[in-house]
Amino acid sequence: MNGHFFIKPFVTPDRRFTSSGSTLICLLGYWVLLMFVFLSLTTMVSLSFFVYLQVYEPGDIAGGQDDPMMLAYNNLFVDNNGMVGEVLVWSLGYGSGNMLIFTTFIILYTAVEITMVYVVPWRVRRYVHAIIGVVLLLFALNKMGII
Amino acid sequence: MMNKRFILQKLWNFDEWLQNLHPLEPFVTEDLGLTRAGKMFGVLFGITLMLSIIALVATSIMAIVFVSDIMCYDTIDFAEIQMDLRDDMPLLSGIVWLGLSALFLIFYLLLYTFLVIVLHIFDVSAPRRLICHIGALVFVVLWFAPYWGPM
């Protein structure tokens, strides 16, 4: 088994994408973009937390006043009826979880294509992909409490 | 009446150029093996995928804890949290560092792919390609260097 075995389902002999290859590259493109967005969000919030933990000194705040930095964060998240905070918590909680499900789908899609492309025609394989997609989508909706 | 699309086609033969653009060629050989750029892309993508997943899980947990703390600011004592987490600072630093590394890899993966395709289109010689790739790597490292500083 060589590299040819893994590449052939996605590339035609004249080095163009097959329909499976086009789908896979679209999925990977969306994956990279979404991962960049969610990872930026989680990393920047984590970085804020880390830096804040390092610089926070309760003794410096005289007379029991609230820490201005904490108040600023609190205002950002809680103002506007908590909209920013809610959206942030939603993105952090469900965005990250759904990215894992999306990654699972891409891995399964690739695995199904590689294992079935030589023996099962596309008209059957597409139903396999659809079933995997629907099952993972239902799983995601279930985890989000929608169904 | 000529519209913009028609003008673009006539002036620059954009459609013809687009039809002759084959982004797979720099990555795949004629016998459907992988070129050196293709192998590099595969390895880079594999590492990026694994690191991104781990980093996303770790940083999202840390971020949710922080946002939850801030949301119930009135009922928590942040000084106490700080005391509790004092011994875990290296771990928290590692998590943030992991997230930044994953971002760095994603950014570099996009830049690398773009660069390989563009250099292939313009048929740039091997030494100049090497210089361009080193330049891109240095650019991305410098871009992220200020964020690594606080660690």
Side-chain angles (χ1 to χ4, degrees):
Chain A
M1 192 185 295
N2 53 19
H4 185 102
F5 179 82
F6 296 105
I7 293 170
K8 203 180 171 189
F10 307 108
V11 181
T12 61
D14 56 343
R15 292 193 287 177
R16 308 286 176 264
F17 283 119
T18 59
S19 56
S20 305
S22 302
T23 309
L24 182 65
I25 211 72
C26 282
L27 288 173
L28 290 180
Y30 286 127
W31 184 88
V32 167
L33 287 175
L34 286 172
M35 184 58 94
F36 195 78
V37 169
F38 285 117
L39 202 55
S40 299
L41 190 72
T42 56
T43 304
M44 290 309 145
V45 176
S46 301
L47 185 63
S48 304
F49 185 31
F50 180 74
V51 172
Y52 187 69
L53 274 177
Q54 282 193 322
V55 300
Y56 181 72
E57 290 182 24
D60 285 353
I61 301 165
Q65 289 177 344
D66 288 327
D67 177 21
M69 197 168 163
M70 180 66 111
L71 275 179
Y73 277 129
N74 187 251
N75 287 339
L76 174 68
F77 294 155
V78 178
D79 276 0
N80 301 318
N81 298 321
M83 199 63 183
V84 176
E86 288 298 325
V87 169
L88 196 59
V89 168
W90 196 91
S91 306
L92 291 172
Y94 297 132
S96 306
N98 287 336
M99 272 310 291
L100 297 183
I101 294 172
F102 187 38
T103 310
T104 309
F105 176 71
I106 291 177
I107 292 169
L108 285 177
Y109 175 85
T110 314
V112 166
E113 278 302 306
I114 290 171
T115 51
M116 291 188 171
V117 73
Y118 300 110
V119 285
V120 180
W122 170 247
R123 67 175 186 279
V124 178
R125 286 204 313 278
R126 65 183 175 183
Y127 291 117
V128 178
H129 292 307
I131 289 167
I132 293 172
V134 168
V135 168
L136 288 177
L137 187 66
L138 289 174
F139 179 68
L141 292 174
N142 180 257
K143 285 289 161 194
M144 291 164 75
I146 294 172
I147 56 170
Chain B
M1 187 180 166
M2 289 198 302
N3 56 26
K4 281 182 184 173
R5 184 176 163 78
F6 184 76
I7 295 169
L8 274 175
Q9 283 174 0
K10 281 293 166 197
L11 284 181
W12 297 316
N13 286 327
F14 185 69
D15 273 10
E16 191 184 331
W17 180 82
L18 204 61
Q19 279 167 8
N20 290 326
L21 176 68
H22 302 302
L24 259 182
E25 284 180 359
F27 301 103
V28 180
T29 58
E30 285 179 6
D31 58 345
L32 294 191
L34 285 175
T35 63
R36 200 164 50 185
K39 285 175 187 164
M40 175 72 181
F41 177 84
V43 170
L44 203 59
F45 192 85
I47 294 171
T48 306
L49 191 134
M50 284 187 283
L51 198 72
S52 299
I53 294 295
I54 297 167
L56 186 72
V57 171
T59 53
S60 64
I61 290 170
M62 189 169 158
I64 286 171
V65 169
F66 180 50
V67 174
S68 306
D69 285 347
I70 295 287
M71 295 281 276
C72 46
Y73 164 67
D74 296 334
T75 55
I76 60 151
D77 182 0
F78 202 80
E80 197 177 315
I81 293 172
Q82 192 185 34
M83 285 291 288
D84 289 343
L85 292 176
R86 195 175 51 187
D87 296 335
D88 297 327
M89 288 308 264
L91 175 70
L92 299 184
S93 167
I95 290 172
V96 177
W97 187 87
L98 200 65
L100 290 172
S101 303
L103 279 178
F104 164 85
L105 275 174
I106 291 174
F107 196 63
Y108 182 65
L109 180 75
L110 291 173
L111 194 63
Y112 177 80
T113 311
F114 175 75
L115 206 57
V116 167
I117 294 170
V118 167
L119 293 177
H120 177 77
I121 289 170
F122 291 103
D123 204 16
V124 177
S125 65
R128 286 185 180 172
R129 282 182 197 201
L130 188 64
I131 291 168
C132 287
H133 281 296
I134 292 171
L137 189 60
V138 171
F139 171 75
V140 178
V141 169
L142 288 178
W143 186 281
F144 277 92
Y147 292 101
W148 275 315
M151 305 302 123

